[in-house]
Amino acid sequence: MDEPVLVERGGGVHRLTLNRPDKINALNDAVFDALAAALDGAEADEGCRAVLLMGAGRGFCSGQDLTAGVPADLGEALERRYNPLVRRLRGLPLPVVCAVHGVAAGAGMNLALACDLVVAGRTARFTEAFVRIGLVPDAGGTWFLPRLAGDARARGLAMLGEAITGEQAAAWGLIWAAVEDGQEAAEGERLALQLAGLPTQAIALMKRAFGAAAGNTLDQQLDVERDAQREAGATPDFGEGVAAFREKRAPRFTGRRA
Ligand code: T3D
């Protein structure tokens, strides 16, 4: 049987590829289990300093598998599957890059938005498809959309369910960048390798700080930054960064905690 998520490791990067191409990588229990295991594996691997998420075949992800049977309680399904995955991606102390080609629909779109950096093909299609089947955006969509694109665009995307292109998604601030079609994986790889050479602990602390910022006042956030900077300042990479600056050479970051 084909693996629902392919994992390839090298160069400090774990590359996770959703692998149900005949259904545009629709999400089912097997995919959720495999993704959870792959993210655990990335965190447990001391050599892993960035994760790259992609989809096999002609699109990134079509959201929930609509042919897998409908749970009686969709709230329970979210609690069991989607919510832990989004929390895991946001809480993972590693940068996660997502490369979107073809379509990212429903929870597939929001799965991408839960990642740290998203690159997409110019004509990739992002759609909050939920309304077309009588559902509301989940997997963090109602939280990500207004923060990234503003309330007016969030409501339009959710209520109309119309697709926007990768180019539009970049122009609206939903994603990091749009690239030429066919270059998404290469650009995702480039970014992941770049991140894998950066101070991993500082990036993990940034993720924590950005995560806290949404619910904080400026005053509270200044305290978060103080604590994060204290931790970053105690890492070997801070010493290396300063030494490299003084010696006018490129830093050699290890990503180590101590
Ligand atoms: O249930 C819960 O737990 C609640 C959680 C819900 C979270 C959600 O994500 S709800 C939203 C679910 N997703 C959708 O509603 C999207 C459904 N799919 C589409 O609208 C379209 O297929 C796409 C816009 C994604 C792509 O359109 P297109 O024309 O490029 O491709 P296609 O021909 O429609 O699809 C290709 C194949 O993939 C096709 O199979 P076939 O006919 O060749 O055997 C199609 O059935 C299959 N496919 C596409 N999306 C899904 C899917 N199979 C299962 N589940 C899908 N979501």
Side-chain angles (χ1 to χ4, degrees):
M1 198 186 81
D2 287 340
E3 294 296 323
V5 175
L6 305 175
V7 181
E8 198 266 324
R9 307 170 185 84
V13 177
H14 281 210
R15 298 162 193 83
L16 317 185
T17 303
L18 306 176
N19 189 35
R20 302 186 71 217
D22 54 321
K23 292 182 186 290
I24 317 181
N25 303 312
L27 303 165
N28 63 7
D29 282 356
V31 175
F32 280 109
D33 285 344
L35 265 180
L39 294 172
D40 286 349
E43 185 172 5
D45 178 357
E46 283 188 11
C48 179
R49 295 171 63 189
V51 172
L52 174 60
L53 180 62
M54 302 172 281
R58 67 183 179 89
F60 170 65
C61 178
S62 60
Q64 173 64 32
D65 188 334
L66 299 176
T67 62
V70 178
D73 178 353
L74 294 192
E76 190 276 332
L78 294 188
E79 200 55 42
R80 194 165 53 84
R81 290 305 196 188
Y82 287 93
N83 296 356
L85 175 59
V86 172
R87 289 184 176 117
R88 184 77 176 111
L89 285 165
R90 286 276 150 161
L92 193 74
L94 294 167
V96 183
V97 178
C98 181
V100 173
H101 73 292
V103 69
M109 173 169 175
N110 296 333
L111 172 61
L113 299 184
C115 298
D116 297 299
L117 293 183
V118 186
V119 288
R122 287 194 197 293
T123 70
R125 289 175 292 155
F126 288 86
T127 168
E128 295 286 334
F130 304 88
V131 69
R132 285 192 243 136
I133 55 169
L135 294 183
V136 299
D138 58 26
T142 59
W143 194 90
F144 296 128
L145 292 172
R147 282 172 173 78
L148 295 170
D151 196 58
R153 283 168 171 162
R155 286 170 196 250
L157 285 167
M159 291 181 186
L160 301 174
E162 290 173 3
I164 59 168
T165 62
E167 204 155 32
Q168 184 87 73
W172 285 7
L174 281 165
I175 65 170
W176 170 246
V179 296
E180 291 305 326
D181 292 328
Q183 292 302 306
E184 314 82 6
E187 181 60 7
E189 173 78 10
R190 190 189 70 75
L191 287 168
L193 286 171
Q194 182 180 341
L195 286 159
L198 293 174
T200 310
Q201 299 306 320
I203 289 173
L205 290 162
M206 287 176 210
K207 283 188 72 156
R208 204 199 291 167
F210 282 124
N216 275 350
T217 62
L218 172 61
D219 202 43
Q220 291 167 325
Q221 193 62 15
L222 291 172
D223 289 347
V224 169
E225 290 178 3
R226 175 202 59 210
D227 295 343
Q229 204 68 299
R230 183 173 286 138
E231 279 191 58
T235 63
D237 281 341
F238 172 58
E240 166 62 9
V242 172
F245 175 77
R246 289 184 181 150
E247 293 160 20
K248 298 190 187 303
R249 61 171 173 81
R252 291 180 293 271
F253 295 120
T254 63
R256 288 203 307 268
R257 278 196 181 80

